[in-house]
Amino acid sequence: MNSQPPASHWIAGRAVEDTSGAPLPVRYPATGAVIATLREATPAVIAQAVESAAAGFAVWSRTSPAARGRVLRRAAELIRARGPELARLETLDTGKPVSETRVADWPSGADALEYFGALAAGLTGEHIELGGDFVYTRREPLGICVGIGAWNYPSQIACWKAAPALACGNAMIFKPSELTPLGALKLGEIFAEAGLPEGVFNVVQGAGAVGAALVAHPAVAKVSVTGSVGTGRRVYARAAEGLKHVTLELGGKSPLIVFDDANLDDAVGGAMLGNFYSAGQVCSNGTRVFVQQGILARFLTRLAERTEAIRLGDPLDEATQMGPLISQAQGEKVMDHIAAGKSEGAWLLTGGERAAPEGFADGFFVQPTVFAEVTDTMRIAREEIFGPVMCVLGFGDEEEVIARANATEFGLAAGVFTADLARAHRMVARLRAGTTWINAYNLTPVEAPFGGVKASGLGRENGHAALDHYSQLKSVYVGLGSVEAPF
Ligand code: NDP
């Protein structure tokens, strides 16, 4: 279990320690055992990381895009070659079962490195003809970009931010969540092995204050944060003082709408994927499942059967389907919402209790939980729970469900299950969300832009769209004639 890395930070292509930083114990969520002890970045470490990134940027921004792409693709290959080792580390860092971390976390990070590695050489500007004189545009990097990650997909988030940033020629300083600091350090090592010049990718550890110091640093050009709406607001306000570019990937309370004509097992499967994967700790989860009255009873029966068959337990056992929540604090927050659901009169269809798989009494496991007969005003239907808690709400027709689905401050994602494709497209056009699915849920291939509207965020990750958020256009006017000045 011991997962102690060589040092806490990764700066200028090597492991760096400053023993005067406050200790940061890293716990395996399934047992609470301390698997590593790191140190928070001190102001000296932050200064060193910024200096390193500036030096890295000077080299990398002048490296040809094709050469940059080769390094990213080599890093993707190294990640794939080390699949089992990295999946185990991700499981120890997050508590998520290896059956997930093997297929979803690092592999999705490798996809991003491969995809943006392939796009790097294709970055171009344009030529604008003026009938003699002309303008061309240069797509230039922003400079030093700061990435700040949440704890639910630590390595995927690090890769999703680093891949487009580096493809465009930027340097990055990444600060993982203090709960899950190990994956990003591994990514630093992998990049070095893949041939990334020193200083282009740096990792510093610490809690919110370290992130805040990076956001405020005058040498930083851009910040991309994945986290809660509250953190997003604070980061946005601080970045605004320095007029910095910002990408915000924040929380949600997304609607998943099931019509009477939907394939029952697909809809139930989609709802389970969108509520129970990663023990429900997924930002885009469809936590408000609206089910049309004609299919509601059958939907609930099938959902209860399949939910009760979910195997909780040892995250390192391949057969386990659900692990613990990330921490005691997150577990208590989830149980508080479950208590609110019970007291507000929702029907607890299944689950609703803490679970204690044998040998894991100190992990915070929560039974996969379904509340039915939920109403729009209940707390469980309004607030992001970030745990394995699904709310099922009945509805009558399209107009009603669109109005109710959109009645939220969030707008990250939405899904529709129906056999009527005209209706499906009509619905997604009216759903106020950045990412939507038809007869599927929570699939986030790197080729597709991902992000939210309203309080769920700003900007997009993945897809070609991400390149726009890590580069800026310079217009170059070229005069071919003599200058006609009116003076
Ligand atoms: P937090 O908002 O608590 O933290 C996110 C990151 O921001 C952490 O690294 C945190 O550091 C850091 N941070 C906290 N305060 C500040 C600050 N003032 N300035 C700079 N950085 C700061 O989120 P969680 O880690 O609890 O993650 C859960 C949340 O993330 C959920 O709301 C979820 O919906 C959202 N999320 C969104 C996704 C998306 O793509 N839209 C994907 C995944 C999660 P530390 O934790 O070390 O204190």
Side-chain angles (χ1 to χ4, degrees):
M1 294 280 163
N2 178 16
S3 304
Q4 185 70 34
S8 301
H9 318 289
W10 181 266
I11 297 173
R14 62 192 81 85
V16 168
E17 194 59 273
D18 179 349
T19 51
S20 63
L24 206 62
V26 186
R27 293 179 189 280
Y28 177 35
T31 61
V34 174
I35 54 169
T37 302
L38 305 185
R39 302 240 166 216
E40 280 216 65
T42 55
V45 166
I46 293 173
Q48 206 181 332
V50 172
E51 203 177 300
S52 153
F57 178 67
V59 173
W60 191 241
S61 56
R62 282 191 232 111
T63 301
S64 83
R68 296 200 296 248
R70 269 198 298 280
V71 172
L72 298 188
R73 296 198 307 277
R74 214 173 295 140
E77 278 165 26
L78 291 171
I79 289 171
R80 292 200 203 287
R82 290 185 200 162
E85 172 209 332
L86 293 173
R88 183 183 156 84
L89 183 68
E90 193 77 351
T91 288
L92 293 175
D93 218 7
T94 62
K96 298 194 296 178
V98 277
S99 58
E100 287 189 16
T101 54
R102 206 169 36 72
V103 296
D105 294 75
W106 280 101
S108 155
D111 286 351
L113 291 162
E114 213 163 44
Y115 175 81
F116 288 105
L119 288 187
L123 289 170
T124 55
E126 64 179 335
H127 168 266
I128 302 161
E129 182 56 49
L130 300 174
D133 291 0
F134 65 95
V135 172
Y136 67 92
T137 59
R138 293 168 46 87
R139 185 169 284 279
E140 298 185 342
L142 302 173
I144 300 176
C145 300
V146 164
I148 297 178
W151 41 257
N152 59 343
Y153 280 82
S155 301
Q156 182 201 77
I157 291 170
C159 292
W160 279 19
K161 295 189 190 308
L166 270 47
C168 291
N170 300 286
M172 176 160 271
I173 303 174
F174 189 81
K175 190 209 79 72
S177 164
E178 64 174 310
L179 297 177
T180 53
L182 302 177
L185 288 174
K186 255 308 164 220
L187 183 60
E189 289 174 20
I190 288 167
F191 272 141
E193 205 177 322
L196 190 72
E198 287 174 8
V200 180
F201 181 77
N202 308 273
V203 180
V204 299
Q205 308 291 352
V210 171
L214 288 167
V215 175
H217 199 290
V220 167
K222 185 208 163 106
V223 184
S224 174
V225 60
T226 297
S228 61
V229 173
T231 299
R233 283 205 176 95
R234 281 189 288 279
V235 167
Y236 198 18
R238 199 164 253 244
E241 287 167 24
L243 294 171
K244 296 176 187 186
H245 298 256
V246 173
T247 296
L248 301 173
E249 295 291 352
L250 309 176
K253 190 77 192 175
S254 300
L256 191 165
I257 301 168
V258 179
F259 284 94
D260 285 346
D261 62 357
N263 176 297
L264 180 67
D265 264 310
D266 285 349
V268 168
M272 291 176 72
L273 254 182
N275 278 274
F276 300 141
Y277 208 68
S278 298
Q281 303 166 115
V282 181
C283 52
S284 50
N285 271 355
T287 46
R288 290 182 297 144
V289 180
F290 290 95
V291 184
Q292 205 168 14
Q293 292 298 348
I295 200 178
L296 183 54
R298 282 185 298 136
F299 183 92
L300 290 176
T301 305
R302 190 76 188 108
L303 177 62
E305 272 167 25
R306 286 178 62 178
T307 300
E308 282 158 15
I310 293 175
R311 289 187 296 274
L312 271 72
D314 179 356
L316 289 169
D317 179 345
E318 267 292 336
T320 296
Q321 295 171 309
M322 192 184 284
L325 296 175
I326 186 73
S327 65
Q328 175 87 16
Q330 184 63 18
E332 281 165 7
K333 185 183 153 220
V334 171
M335 292 311 294
D336 178 55
H337 276 95
I338 290 175
K342 290 175 182 169
S343 72
E344 285 180 302
W347 168 30
L348 180 62
L349 182 69
T350 184
E353 302 293 333
R354 226 184 129 161
E358 209 186 319
F360 296 92
D362 293 329
F364 210 118
F365 290 73
V366 173
Q367 291 175 338
T369 297
V370 179
F371 280 109
E373 295 179 5
V374 175
T375 61
D376 299 348
T377 53
M378 289 179 185
R379 239 184 92 198
I380 50 171
R382 288 184 288 110
E383 295 175 10
E384 184 179 48
I385 301 173
F386 229 57
V389 183
M390 186 194 306
C391 295
V392 179
L393 308 91
F395 78 91
D397 63 29
E398 245 178 84
E399 282 305 315
E400 174 202 334
V401 78
I402 278 284
R404 292 171 63 194
N406 284 336
T408 167
E409 64 164 325
F410 299 110
L412 186 55
V416 181
F417 277 85
T418 176
D420 178 347
L421 282 182
R423 171 159 64 193
H425 292 291
R426 207 162 53 230
M427 293 290 295
V428 292
R430 295 178 68 191
L431 285 164
R432 296 185 62 203
T435 306
T436 60
W437 293 274
I438 294 174
N439 293 331
Y441 204 83
N442 259 358
L443 302 176
T444 53
V446 67
E447 296 89 342
F450 179 81
V453 301
K454 300 198 280 180
S456 292
L458 281 180
R460 291 292 175 268
E461 297 199 297
N462 292 346
H464 285 248
L467 298 172
D468 291 334
H469 297 288
Y470 282 102
S471 60
Q472 55 199 345
L473 289 179
K474 177 183 281 172
S475 288
V476 184
Y477 186 108
V478 182
L480 297 183
S482 53
V483 174
E484 288 173 21
F487 310 107

